[in-house]
Amino acid sequence: MGMELGSIRISRLNRLMHYFLSYGRGTSRELLSGLGYSSLRMLQRDISYLRNEYSVDITYDFSRQLYTCRNSGHFILYFSLAREEAVLLAVSLSIASGILAPESSARSETLYKAQL
């Protein structure tokens, strides 16, 4: 299997990890239908790829027919934010750092006012 990833596969891996981070587990049927996989083999390949390339701890319980994700390894989950959400996140982080390091609270206030 090649090391290069196409955008379609990256999108699938991202959806799969998002599912596992949200629900923690799922049957093959749930993953296939919920994530739009066209085949069980494709799902198995993606799970194997996450295990091998990103050290994601995904186990399969044969008796319950259930995949369980115990950690996300070093997979970086992609998500999109609208500009307003990104600004709010930046301001919130800046305010939080001001609480932890009071000398930066003036900077937080300036940043917040600049975004209004």
Side-chain angles (χ1 to χ4, degrees):
M1 184 177 306
M3 293 298 291
E4 291 186 33
L5 290 177
S7 61
I8 293 172
R9 188 166 196 201
I10 291 170
S11 180
R12 272 197 333 261
L13 293 171
N14 196 62
R15 284 193 315 269
L16 181 57
M17 282 305 300
H18 187 269
Y19 182 94
F20 277 132
L21 292 175
S22 296
Y23 302 105
R25 68 185 88 205
T27 64
S28 296
R29 181 173 291 145
E30 290 168 341
L31 295 170
L32 287 168
S33 64
L35 300 175
Y37 276 91
S38 59
S39 73
L40 177 60
R41 186 66 192 124
M42 184 182 294
L43 171 64
Q44 291 169 336
R45 281 190 204 112
D46 281 355
I47 289 172
S48 178
Y49 188 84
L50 289 169
R51 285 175 178 149
N52 297 327
E53 297 298 325
Y54 293 100
S55 302
V56 177
D57 185 8
I58 301 172
T59 58
Y60 185 73
D61 182 336
F62 287 95
S63 64
R64 296 170 56 199
Q65 298 183 350
L66 188 71
Y67 286 100
T68 302
C69 181
R70 300 190 196 294
N71 71 49
S72 60
H74 54 271
F75 184 83
I76 298 174
L77 188 63
Y78 168 81
F79 60 96
S80 60
L81 295 174
R83 182 185 183 285
E84 295 79 19
E85 294 169 319
V87 168
L88 180 60
L89 179 60
V91 169
S92 299
L93 290 172
S94 184
I95 290 170
S97 70
I99 292 168
L100 298 174
E103 66 276 0
S104 65
S105 65
R107 183 176 174 276
S108 300
E109 187 175 329
T110 303
L111 179 62
Y112 178 73
K113 288 178 180 176
Q115 297 303 322
L116 293 178

